[in-house]
Amino acid sequence: MRKPFIAGNWKMNMGLKETASFFKELTALQANASGKVDAVICPPTVSLNAACSNSPASLRVKLGAQNVHYEDNGAYTGEVSTTMLKEVECEFAIVGHSERRQFFGETDAVINRKVIKCLADGIIPIVCVGELLDERKEGVHFDVVKLQVSDVLKDLTAQQVSGLVIAYEPVWAIGTGETASPEQAQEMHAFIRKELVGLFGDKTAGQIRLLYGGSMKPSNAEELLKKEDVDGGLIGGASLSPDSFTELITIAETISA
Ligand code: PEP
C-alpha cells in the first residue's frame, strides 16, 4: 500500500510574511492530523527559511524546493544546492516541472542529473513528466511520457528510485482550470507504472508514488485520488490557501482509510 502524497507547489507566490502566516494557520488547522498522508509544501527558495522557522515540530507538513542544481557549488548564478536546501530542512525537491522545461530550457538530460544528485544527497525528487496539448491531440502522449520517464531515470538502480515520487502533469491542465478526467489520469498512471515495471521490476514499480498534477482542487480531488494508480497530487493554485490545502489532505486521508 502506497502512502498518499499531497504536495503544494507555490511557484513564484508567497513572500516571507505570507509564508509565515500560512504556516501559522496551517499549524492550527493540522493540529489533529493523522500523519497518514505525506504532505509537502514547496515555497519559493527565498521563503523556505520562513517556512522552516514557522513549522513547529508537531506540524506534519514537510518542505520541498521547486528547483535544485546538480553541482555542489560554483558559478551557477541563481541556483541552489542540495546542501543549502537541507539547511532549511527541505526533504523534497520538484525536478523538471513543465514551467522549468518551458521557460528555462530544462531538458531530460539536465533533469536526470538533478534526480541523480538529489538521490545521492538524501533529497527525494518529485520528478515531473507530462505532454503538451498538441502532443495529446496528435495521439503521441504515451510516447512522449515514456521517453521522459526513461530519460529522467537513466542510469539509476531499482534501489535508488524506490523512494522517489513522479508527478504526471499534462501541461494543458496546469494552471488552466482544465483537469484531466479521472480516467485519463488513471490511464496514464497505469502506463507509467507499466514502464517502471519494465525498467525496475514489479516491486520497485509498486513502491513509487505517482501524483497527478493539473488544476487539482478540493472539488475534483476525490474522484482523481480514488483511482488505483493515482497516489496523490501536485497542486499549484489550490495549495496557496491553508484551508484548501488542508481539505486536500483530509480528502486523501479519507480515501486511504
Ligand atoms: C503545478 O504547479 O504543478 C500545478 C499542477 O498547478 P495547478 O494546480 O495550479 O494547475
Side-chain angles (χ1 to χ4, degrees), residues 18-249:
E18 292 161 306
T19 299
S21 58
F22 178 99
F23 273 85
K24 284 188 184 126
E25 239 184 280
L26 190 66
T27 304
L29 289 168
Q30 289 287 307
N32 299 315
S34 67
K36 286 186 185 146
V37 171
D38 277 335
V40 177
I41 288 281
C42 305
T45 310
V46 75
S47 300
L48 275 167
N49 200 27
C52 177
S53 52
N54 285 284
S55 298
S58 61
L59 180 64
R60 295 176 187 266
V61 176
K62 297 173 178 166
L63 295 182
Q66 297 176 16
N67 183 28
V68 61
H69 200 262
Y70 50 75
E71 294 290 354
D72 285 324
N73 47 45
Y76 300 103
T77 302
E79 294 293 321
V80 61
S81 71
T82 53
T83 312
M84 294 168 188
L85 293 180
K86 288 202 287 191
E87 282 179 348
V88 284
E89 293 176 19
C90 255
E91 295 175 52
F92 297 86
I94 299 173
V95 178
H97 191 280
S98 65
E99 288 151 16
R100 301 276 335 154
R101 293 172 185 261
Q102 187 182 351
F103 302 124
F104 303 96
E106 280 192 19
T107 60
D108 285 340
V110 166
I111 295 160
N112 175 243
R113 291 184 74 178
K114 293 182 174 197
V115 173
I116 291 172
K117 181 65 178 161
C118 283
L119 291 171
D121 290 354
I123 292 210
I124 299 177
I126 301 171
V127 193
C128 301
V129 296
E131 80 283 1
L132 304 170
L133 181 58
D134 282 350
E135 292 165 338
R136 182 161 277 263
K137 281 186 180 158
E138 284 164 30
V140 295
H141 44 298
F142 291 113
D143 300 330
V144 168
V145 171
K146 178 185 165 109
L147 196 62
Q148 287 175 338
V149 169
S150 62
D151 282 355
V152 299
L153 301 183
K154 195 165 162 262
D155 297 331
L156 289 162
T157 64
Q159 199 191 357
Q160 283 173 307
V161 300
S162 62
L164 71 68
V165 179
I166 296 180
Y168 167 59
E169 301 207 301
V171 179
W172 47 271
I174 299 177
T176 58
E178 191 170 335
T179 320
S181 70
E183 292 69 31
Q184 285 172 320
Q186 169 58 27
E187 186 185 34
M188 185 59 89
H189 283 222
F191 174 79
I192 294 172
R193 184 108 42 218
K194 189 173 87 353
E195 290 305 308
L196 294 171
V197 170
L199 292 169
F200 303 107
D202 281 324
K203 183 164 176 253
T204 302
Q207 290 168 332
I208 295 176
R209 285 175 291 180
L210 302 182
L211 315 184
Y212 167 77
S215 300
M216 188 188 268
K217 45 188 177 286
S219 60
N220 61 21
E222 185 179 350
E223 47 177 6
L224 286 158
L225 295 173
K226 271 189 174 159
K227 291 291 179 190
E228 189 186 340
D229 287 292
V230 180
D231 306 315
L234 179 56
I235 297 125
S239 71
L240 293 169
S241 127
D243 287 317
S244 65
F245 189 66
T246 296
E247 249 188 277
L248 288 160
I249 296 172

